[in-house]
Amino acid sequence: MPLIRRAFFARSVHAVAPDLIGAMFLFKGVGGRIVEVEAYHHTDPAAHSFAGRTERNAVMFGPPGFAYVYRSYGIHWCVNFVCEPEGSASAVLIRAVEPLEGLDRMRRRRGLRDERLLCAGPGRVCEALRITRAHNALPLDAAPFELRRRTGKVEVAVGPRIGITKAVDHPWRYGLKGSRFLSKPFRPAGGTPG
DNA sequence: TGCCCGATTAACT
DNA sequence: GTTAATCGGGCAA
C-alpha cells in the first residue's frame, strides 16, 4: 500500500473523507484499517472551526496533512486529519478503525478482549492507539504516524453524522460498507418501504 | 467570573 | 432508555 503524502490532504474534505475509507492508519505501529470517518467543513456550524480560530482548533487553520487532536467532553481524545488549502480550517474526524496491528497493546490499553470494540468510536480509537494532546499538530506523513492509501476497491456507505446537534442532516459520515468495526451501523440506502 | 453545552463512553435501570 | 465523568469554548455579566 503506497504511503499517503501531504498532497493527499490538499483537497476538499468531502473528497478526502471517503478516500480514507480502507486506508491503513498506524500510530507507533499500532492500528489498522480506517472504516469510519466524518467530514467537517469550515462553513459547517457543527465544525469546531466554524466560530473562528481558538487555541484549541488552531491546527485546523494551518496547512493540510497535520493531526488535530482535541479533548471531547473533558474525558476522551479525538483525532482529525486537516484537509484543503491552508486556512480552510476543514478536517476529517477518524471515528473507527478495524484493529489489525498491535492487538495485544490495544487490548491492554482498552481493558477489553473484544476486537470489535477496540477502535469502534473516536474516543476508543485514540485510547487504543494512545493518541493524546501531545500529538496535536504533528505531520501525518512522518513517524509516529504511518498512513497508507488503499489499493483495492471498497464500497463506501454514506449517512448523517453522529453525536452533533447542528447541521445534523448533512450526509458527511462515511464508512466501509458491511464492516463490523463501525461505531454504529449505517442505515441502508433506499426509500421508505411500502 | 459563572454558567451552559459539547464531533463520547461505560455503567446503570 | 438514562446518567455520570470532566474540561475548554463561548457568552453574559
Side-chain angles (χ1 to χ4, degrees):
Chain A
M1 297 172 84
L3 281 168
I4 290 178
R5 293 141 55 94
R6 207 161 293 190
F8 177 91
F9 297 101
R11 298 179 288 146
S12 162
V13 72
H14 296 301
V16 174
D19 270 6
L20 284 171
I21 299 301
M24 186 65 73
F25 174 33
L26 302 178
F27 185 79
K28 296 183 181 176
V30 176
R33 189 164 65 144
I34 295 173
V35 296
E36 182 185 337
V37 302
E38 284 176 357
Y40 286 87
H41 192 258
H42 63 291
T43 58
D44 166 12
H48 286 174
S49 54
F50 182 76
R53 180 183 178 131
T54 66
E55 190 175 345
R56 176 177 70 156
N57 66 21
V59 180
M60 286 186 79
F61 290 81
F66 287 79
Y68 164 46
V69 183
Y70 72 91
R71 192 77 141 150
S72 175
Y73 286 86
I75 303 170
H76 304 101
W77 299 105
C78 297
V79 63
N80 295 250
F81 299 166
V82 176
C83 297
E84 306 206 29
E86 177 161 3
S88 297
S90 302
V92 176
L93 170 68
I94 308 304
R95 285 196 57 93
V97 168
E98 176 178 342
L100 293 172
E101 301 289 333
L103 286 171
D104 288 344
R105 271 170 287 180
M106 287 192 272
R107 287 196 185 101
R108 264 203 310 278
R109 294 165 182 176
R110 295 270 299 117
L112 276 178
R113 299 297 304 170
D114 187 355
E115 282 180 31
R116 193 182 65 80
L117 295 175
L118 286 183
C119 305
R124 291 163 169 172
V125 168
C126 284
E127 185 171 49
L129 273 59
R130 200 166 275 171
I131 296 172
T132 72
R133 186 169 199 81
H135 312 111
N136 186 44
L138 291 183
L140 297 167
D141 59 354
F145 288 99
E146 181 180 341
L147 282 161
R148 293 184 178 274
R149 189 193 297 255
R150 68 168 184 251
T151 49
K153 288 184 181 176
V154 296
E155 278 198 272
V156 177
V158 179
R161 294 172 295 181
I162 293 176
I164 57 173
T165 58
K166 301 167 196 161
V168 294
D169 291 330
H170 292 126
W172 292 340
R173 175 179 177 236
Y174 303 91
L176 181 63
K177 199 170 181 178
S179 171
R180 58 187 269 256
F181 300 97
L182 301 172
S183 68
K184 278 187 183 172
F186 282 78
R187 206 166 140 259
T192 53

